[in-house]
């Protein structure tokens, strides 16, 4: 049969118009419709019957585009090979393609030149925006504002979809307790409850209620599983995790993405308990596909199938492909191994045909749901691309998110907010004028120099005299793909000028921290102080002016003991994206009252890591008598973190009272508490509820977050806040993997951080 005839027949059979004129723009095509599940399943089955083994395997093959690389270039592939495979229908997806023109060009090959005309799914790391950037995900998480986080994902989806993309490799839902690991910037922090709520919101934001709309993307929960538990915080390192931690800490945010209807998962570079995640059938088949009934598809991480050879788990390329396919890894990102090895493996009976059919089905299912068969160019409207990207509404949403992400760590003598006039302000630090660093890591499509700097943000407030001095660089050695940590970190030649400016100022605002590329993938650190000579600069300025407001830019918790002890005001401003400087200025001048709360504990010393609020009590939790040795502690630093999980101040103050809890059944507890704004300004508080299950068949943490609510109050206003705890909040996974609620004594704590003092008890 002639290829064109086959295409026509297949199109007829499955009702696709993939063979339509490739130049048709979105406005000329059918409007998107929600195709019913049954419909999709029938279409998938019909199409699958037309496909050869090689074409099915082709769906399981993903290549990176020809411009951006987000991992090491593979040894066994090149652009010519990619084009050849595209034309044969041996490619199901591309990543790192962007821009309508580029995507259309490649999609056209898949649709017009292959035998069956199956469209490609186009993936991209839309992590905290596309071109208009929101704060890094860790910062967004500090808002505890699920609506704002969802909105941020919606904006990211709409902008990326306008650039030809229909699948994002986000959200990263890896829980991590280790600030040395650079990728904490990409997650929601250390807590499974908060992490689950945020994971749910992000998936909803990206995917919307209708995946087939041209404004939404398929989301991807990554990295399944335990990547965030890399030993010693070293990137890509081994994870060795017990059943209880896996079930109660690591899995819940992944389960939440399933509840939100996430369509794809990504496995992980790391090994879990001796088995690389990519080749781990317990994770991908037993848990994800069987127990959780996930019917989307799993993509490998970049080259992670081939990396099973370095892990010492696969003998060679062919063996690696065999292991991954059998373990339930449906799509191969940039290893070239499925396309090269799988067909032979099936013929030799080493990989079941049924596994190939299942993987191809899962991938086709998502393509149908995206509406790609109805219109493969639906994300490729050049006019829309021009109109949508960089819209003012996106900037507004990013600014809103950025303000909400800022955490006030210290504010002595009400140094903040700054007065709007009559103050002489010195602004110091290279990061204060930086218009690229605030974009953070994962900003492949954003343009350099597009963030509003702190200097620009503060200049909008004209009532004060503002003088800027750089003082010192941060560490200019980091770029997107290289790290040269020692460049420019010892130069103190600009100290004197900064000291001179600080001497005559009423208030010194110092913007210090990490540049955007000092956290993220491949950016682990063993020291968590201020890089370069910034600490020296800070102490030199402190000698001449103690009225310092430290504004931190960073992608992870830092060790800030000196700062907490000496400085009157500290503002955690992370990397806040495109609108960074405006958000920071609005907080500094009091036009926005900070309301963020830390999603990760800030240690007193790197030696405390991993440090997290939901630790176990141990058998020797307390000091038996002054000077005694045999209890669980350090000799040199106290056990607690410097700033606990959930911590953050406001320009106003809040008081908690009247905490009451009542067991309404043996599975349900109602809790109420009164919150009062006891200060002088309107403010927002994140009311947090923690439980402690005092004894159980598997020991429970000393505290677990089980509820929170954002409450806005006028000065002197009070409000009663209620929570309902159900089996879901009161139970846990035992070591058999069963979810159980065991009767017994529980404490309930409510307050403004994980050290909440108000406590009440119930017995179930
Ligand atoms: C990262 C993934 C990412 C992929 C594609 C990998 O290096 O671990 O999170 O989605 O690259 O860019």
């Amino acid at each position: 049969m002639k290829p064109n005839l086959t295409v026509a027949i297949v199109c007829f059979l499955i009702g696709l118009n993939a063979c339509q004129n490739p130049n048709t723009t979105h406005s000329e095509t059918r409007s998107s419709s929600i195709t019913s599940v049954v419909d999709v399943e029938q279409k998938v089955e019909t199409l699958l019957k037309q496909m050869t083994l090689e074409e099915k395997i082709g769906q399981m093959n993903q290549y990176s585009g020809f411009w951006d690389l987000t991992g090491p270039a593979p040894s066994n592939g090149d652009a010519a090979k990619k084009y050849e495979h595209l034309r044969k229908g041996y490619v199901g997806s591309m990543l790192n393609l962007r821009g309508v023109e580029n995507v259309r060009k490649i999609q056209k090959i898949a649709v017009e030149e292959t035998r069956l005309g199956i469209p490609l799914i186009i993936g991209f790391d839309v992590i905290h925006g596309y071109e208009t950037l929101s704060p890094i995900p860790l910062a967004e998480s500090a808002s505890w504002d699920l609506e704002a986080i969802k909105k941020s994902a919606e904006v990211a989806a709409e902008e990326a979809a306008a650039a030809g993309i229909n699948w994002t490799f986000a959200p990263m839902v890896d829980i991590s307790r280790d600030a040395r690991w650079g990728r904490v910037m990409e997650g929601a922090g250390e807590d499974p409850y908060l992490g689950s709520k945020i994971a749910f919101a992000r998936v909803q934001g990206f995917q919307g209620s209708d995946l087939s709309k041209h404004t939404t993307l398929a989301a991807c929960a990554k990295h399944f599983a335990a990547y965030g538990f890399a030993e010693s915080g070293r990137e890509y390192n081994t994870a060795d995790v017990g059943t209880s931690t896996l079930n109660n800490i690591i899995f819940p945010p992944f389960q939440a993405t399933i509840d939100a209807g996430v369509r794809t998962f990504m496995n992980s570079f790391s090994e879990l308990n001796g088995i690389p995640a990519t080749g781990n059938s317990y994770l991908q088949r037993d848990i994800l596909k069987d127990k959780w009934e996930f019917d989307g598809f799993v993509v490998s991480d970049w080259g992670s199938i081939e990396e099973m050879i370095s892990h010492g788990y696969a003998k060679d390329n062919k063996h690696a492909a065999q292991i991954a396919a059998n373990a339930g890894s449906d799509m191969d990102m940039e290893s070239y191994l499925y396309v090269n090895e799988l067909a032979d493996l099936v013929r030799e009976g080493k990989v079941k045909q049924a596994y190939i059919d299942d993987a191809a089905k899962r991938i086709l299912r998502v393509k149908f749901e995206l509406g790609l068969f109805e219109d493969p160019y639906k994300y490729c409207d050049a006019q829309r691309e021009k109109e949508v990207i960089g819209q003012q509404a996106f900037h507004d949403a990013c600014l809103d998110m950025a303000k909400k992400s800022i955490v006030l760590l210290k504010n002595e003598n009400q140094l903040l907010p700054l007065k709007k006039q009559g103050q002489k302000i010195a602004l110091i630090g290279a990061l204060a004028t930086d218009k690229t660093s605030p974009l953070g890591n994962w900003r492949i499509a954003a343009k350099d120099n597009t963030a509003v700097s702190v200097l620009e943000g503060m200049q909008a407030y004209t009532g004060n005299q503002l003088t800027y001095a750089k003082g010192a660089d941060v560490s200019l050695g980091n770029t997107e793909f290289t790290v040269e940590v020692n460049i420019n970190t010892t130069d103190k030649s600009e100290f004197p000028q900064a000291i001179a400016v600080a001497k005559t100022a009423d208030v010194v605002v110092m913007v210090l921290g990490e540049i955007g590329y000092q956290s993220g993938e491949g950016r682990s650190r063993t020291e968590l102080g201020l890089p370069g000579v910034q600490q020296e600069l800070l102490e030199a300025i402190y000698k001449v002016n103690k009225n310092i407001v430290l504004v931190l830019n960073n992608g992870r918790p830092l060790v800030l003991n000196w700062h907490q002890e000496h400085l009157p005001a500290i503002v955690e401003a992370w990397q806040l994206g495109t609108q960074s400087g405006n958000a920071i200025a609005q907080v500094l001048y009091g036009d926005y009252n900070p309301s963020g709360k830390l999603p990760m504990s800030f240690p007193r010393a790197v030696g405390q890591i991993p440090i997290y609020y939901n630790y176990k009590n141990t058998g020797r939790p307390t000091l038996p008598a002054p000077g005694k040795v045999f209890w669980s502690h350090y000799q040199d630093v106290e056990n607690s973190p410097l700033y606990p999980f959930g911590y953050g101040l406001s320009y106003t103050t809040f008081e908690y009272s009247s905490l009451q809890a009542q067991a309404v059944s043996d599975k349900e507890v109602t809790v109420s508490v009164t919150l009062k704004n006891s200060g002088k300004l309107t403010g927002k508080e994140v009311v947090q509820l923690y439980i402690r299950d005092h004894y159980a068949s598997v020991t429970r943490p000393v505290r677990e977050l089980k509820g929170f609510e954002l409450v806005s109050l006028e000065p002197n206003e009070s409000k009663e806040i209620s929570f309902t705890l159900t089996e879901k909040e009161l139970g846990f996974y035992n070591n058999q993997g069963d979810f159980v609620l065991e009767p017994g004594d529980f404490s309930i704590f409510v307050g403004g951080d994980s050290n909440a003092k108000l406590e009440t008890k119930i017995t179930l």
Side-chain angles (χ1 to χ4, degrees):
M1 198 185 289
K2 281 192 175 154
N4 281 351
L5 189 56
T6 319
V7 173
I9 291 172
V10 171
C11 291
F12 171 75
L13 278 171
I14 63 175
L16 52 78
N17 65 351
C19 15
Q20 71 180 40
N21 178 356
N23 294 318
T24 312
T25 60
H26 171 77
S27 50
E28 292 158 2
T29 60
R30 283 192 253 163
S31 63
S32 52
S33 60
I34 308 173
T35 324
S36 79
V37 177
V38 184
D39 232 28
V40 166
E41 291 312 300
Q42 274 169 2
K43 287 177 176 171
V44 169
E45 288 296 340
T46 310
L47 179 53
L48 202 73
K49 284 194 189 119
Q50 313 300 310
M51 297 170 75
T52 63
L53 175 61
E54 283 74 12
E55 283 165 344
K56 290 173 187 169
I57 292 168
Q59 288 305 303
M60 300 166 68
N61 182 31
Q62 183 188 49
Y63 284 146
S64 182
F66 312 98
W67 305 281
D68 306 311
L69 284 181
T70 48
S75 49
N76 49 351
D78 54 36
K81 183 60 110 273
K82 287 180 183 176
Y83 275 114
E84 183 198 322
H85 283 174
L86 271 167
R87 295 200 162 91
K88 285 185 170 160
Y90 293 176
V91 185
S93 171
M94 298 283 295
L95 78 150
N96 292 336
L97 273 187
R98 62 187 158 102
V100 158
E101 203 186 313
N102 292 328
V103 174
R104 181 180 277 275
K105 198 171 95 193
I106 301 298
Q107 188 69 290
K108 202 165 170 230
I109 299 177
V111 172
E112 289 191 10
E113 298 186 39
T114 67
R115 192 179 75 92
L116 293 175
I118 300 173
L120 300 163
I121 177 169
I122 308 292
F124 199 79
D125 290 283
V126 186
I127 306 298
H128 55 112
Y130 179 71
E131 197 178 293
T132 316
L133 293 189
S134 266
I136 56 169
L138 184 67
E140 285 193 354
S141 306
S143 73
W144 297 50
D145 188 328
L146 302 174
E147 275 309 309
I149 291 171
K150 182 175 160 198
K151 173 80 191 164
S152 160
E154 265 168 31
V155 164
E158 187 174 347
E159 196 174 55
I165 290 152
N166 43 49
W167 176 24
T168 174
F169 303 124
M172 185 187 101
V173 303
D174 296 306
I175 296 295
S176 182
R177 298 162 161 180
D178 196 330
R180 293 170 299 184
W181 189 49
R183 283 191 97 163
V184 296
M185 58 77 56
E186 201 181 337
E190 74 188 37
D191 182 60
Y193 183 86
L194 178 63
S196 298
K197 297 279 178 200
I198 290 175
F200 189 92
R202 285 194 169 131
V203 172
Q204 279 198 325
F206 286 130
Q207 295 194 164
S209 53
D210 180 357
L211 205 55
S212 72
K213 279 193 175 162
H214 64 256
T215 48
T216 55
L217 305 176
C220 180
K222 69 188 189 185
H223 304 84
F224 197 56
Y227 183 39
F229 275 66
E231 275 178 4
S232 59
R234 178 159 58 78
E235 185 63 292
Y236 312 131
N237 206 3
T238 305
D240 222 308
V241 178
T243 317
S244 182
T245 301
L246 200 56
N247 284 319
N248 291 294
I249 306 291
I250 294 172
F251 282 167
F254 286 103
Q255 287 169 287
T257 65
I258 299 215
D259 294 343
V262 75
R263 299 316 288 132
T264 74
F265 260 57
M266 186 184 291
N267 56 37
S268 165
F269 289 127
S270 49
E271 69 168 62
L272 171 63
N273 303 337
I275 306 198
T278 308
N280 200 313
S281 62
Y282 165 72
L283 287 174
Q284 297 174 107
R285 289 210 187 276
D286 302 354
I287 297 294
L288 179 60
K289 292 178 179 174
D290 293 347
K291 188 168 178 188
W292 297 349
E293 298 176 348
F294 173 63
D295 69 349
F297 69 88
V298 182
V299 63
S300 81
D301 205 344
W302 181 290
S304 68
I305 298 182
E306 189 181 8
E307 287 176 14
M308 287 197 291
I309 302 170
S310 304
H311 275 288
Y313 193 63
K315 185 172 79 176
D316 53 22
N317 284 349
K318 193 167 175 181
H319 190 208
Q322 177 186 338
I323 293 170
N326 283 335
S329 219
D330 300 310
M331 186 181 276
D332 172 3
M333 182 193 288
E334 272 287 306
S335 274
Y336 290 70
L337 295 189
Y338 279 3
V339 73
N340 290 335
E341 310 287 353
L342 266 189
D344 282 347
L345 285 162
V346 173
R347 285 185 206 107
E348 290 162 20
K350 291 184 177 148
V351 171
K352 282 190 234 162
Q353 174 74 50
Y355 282 164
I356 306 295
D357 287 353
D358 179 60
K361 257 194 231 176
R362 288 168 180 274
I363 295 161
L364 292 172
R365 184 178 292 140
V366 177
K367 289 185 178 182
F368 273 109
E369 290 167 351
L370 281 165
L372 283 168
F373 285 96
E374 286 176 5
D375 178 5
Y377 304 105
K378 66 190 292 184
Y379 302 90
C380 296
D381 181 334
Q383 185 60 26
R384 192 170 63 232
E385 182 178 43
K386 227 193 286 158
E387 285 165 12
V388 166
I389 294 181
Q391 260 180 37
Q392 186 54 43
F394 296 168
H395 284 273
D396 296 346
C398 288
L399 175 58
D400 181 62
M401 186 74 255
K403 288 188 284 196
K404 291 174 171 165
S405 304
I406 294 172
V407 185
L408 181 64
L409 296 177
K410 187 175 177 190
N411 190 22
E412 222 170 53
N413 303 325
Q414 293 175 326
L415 182 57
L416 288 174
L418 298 174
K419 298 194 175 62
K420 286 193 179 157
Q421 40 195 320
Q423 275 184 332
K424 256 177 103 179
I425 297 174
L427 178 64
I428 294 174
L431 287 170
T433 53
D434 201 318
K435 292 172 64 60
T436 299
S437 177
L439 300 173
N441 208 329
W442 282 128
R443 32 147 306 215
I444 312 166
K447 297 189 181 83
D448 281 352
N449 279 310
T450 51
V452 178
S453 70
V454 179
L455 177 62
E456 288 167 335
M458 289 182 75
Q459 275 167 343
Y461 292 81
T462 51
N464 286 322
Q465 187 194 322
L466 181 67
T467 316
Y468 171 72
K470 180 166 95 170
D473 283 319
V474 184
S475 162
L476 297 182
N478 286 49
T479 68
E480 194 167 354
F481 298 115
T482 62
V483 190
E484 296 164 57
V485 274
N486 292 322
I487 293 179
N488 241 349
T489 53
T490 52
D491 182 2
K492 296 188 222 165
S493 60
E494 294 189 49
F495 274 31
Q497 195 211 346
I499 291 168
V501 167
K503 257 185 194 160
T504 58
D506 298 320
V507 183
V508 184
V509 175
M510 295 192 72
V511 187
L512 305 177
E514 301 180 309
I515 63 160
Y517 284 124
Q518 262 165 331
S519 58
E521 187 176 347
R523 318 285 156 140
S524 295
R525 293 178 63 193
T526 60
E527 302 281 348
L528 295 179
L530 298 171
V533 290
Q534 294 180 97
Q535 183 64 30
E536 275 180 73
L537 173 67
L538 176 56
E539 291 185 29
I541 300 291
Y542 183 76
K543 280 196 187 123
V544 300
N545 193 334
K546 300 204 168 8
N547 253 356
I548 294 177
V549 176
L550 173 62
V551 176
L552 290 162
N553 282 188
N554 44 313
R556 50 153 69 84
L558 298 174
V559 173
L560 299 167
N561 300 318
W562 186 90
H563 317 77
Q564 171 64 22
E565 195 182 329
H566 294 92
L567 303 179
I570 307 175
V571 175
E572 176 52 82
W574 317 102
Q575 283 127 8
L576 293 175
T578 309
Q579 286 293 325
S580 179
N582 286 334
I584 292 169
Q586 288 189 23
V587 164
L588 292 180
Y589 285 101
D591 282 345
Y592 185 82
N593 188 354
S595 50
K597 302 276 188 176
L598 296 177
M600 275 188 92
S601 310
F602 276 43
R604 293 175 193 276
V606 172
Q608 291 178 303
I609 295 174
I611 184 165
Y612 45 96
Y613 83 94
N614 45 356
Y615 60 88
K616 300 292 185 71
N617 205 34
T618 81
R620 295 186 179 187
T622 43
L623 175 64
K628 293 289 181 204
V629 171
F630 301 115
W631 66 291
S632 178
H633 73 298
Y634 301 101
Q635 289 185 58
D636 50 355
V637 170
E638 64 180 86
N639 288 357
S640 67
L642 181 66
Y643 303 120
F645 172 83
Y647 171 81
L649 304 172
S650 161
Y651 294 150
T652 191
T653 48
F654 294 99
E655 278 172 21
Y656 289 82
S657 62
S658 315
L659 175 61
Q660 283 177 336
Q662 203 190 350
V664 290
S665 76
D666 55 1
K667 287 184 182 152
E668 194 172 307
V669 175
T670 54
V671 181
S672 64
V673 70
T674 302
L675 178 72
K676 179 178 178 194
N677 180 344
S678 50
K680 295 194 174 61
L681 294 169
T682 302
K684 217 171 10 166
E685 168 77 329
V686 183
V687 178
Q688 300 161 45
L689 182 152
Y690 296 85
I691 65 162
R692 177 168 181 185
D693 181 349
H694 285 274
Y695 50 90
S697 59
V698 180
T699 61
R700 310 303 307 136
V702 293
R703 289 200 176 189
E704 294 177 87
L705 181 72
K706 292 296 176 182
F708 64 88
E709 194 175 321
L710 261 78
V711 184
S712 188
L713 293 179
E714 301 293 319
N716 278 320
E717 191 186 348
S718 294
K719 196 174 170 193
E720 190 182 287
I721 318 293
S722 316
F723 296 92
T724 303
L725 301 173
T726 64
E727 193 174 4
K728 199 169 173 211
E729 286 80 30
L730 297 164
F732 63 91
Y733 286 94
N734 65 19
N735 285 349
Q736 286 67 51
D738 300 322
F739 193 79
V740 291
L741 169 53
E742 295 179 357
D745 300 333
F746 292 76
S747 283
I748 291 164
F749 308 88
V750 178
D753 61 50
S754 57
N755 282 341
K757 296 281 176 297
L758 267 190
E759 177 181 358
T760 185
K761 287 192 169 140
I762 49 144
T763 302
L764 287 182

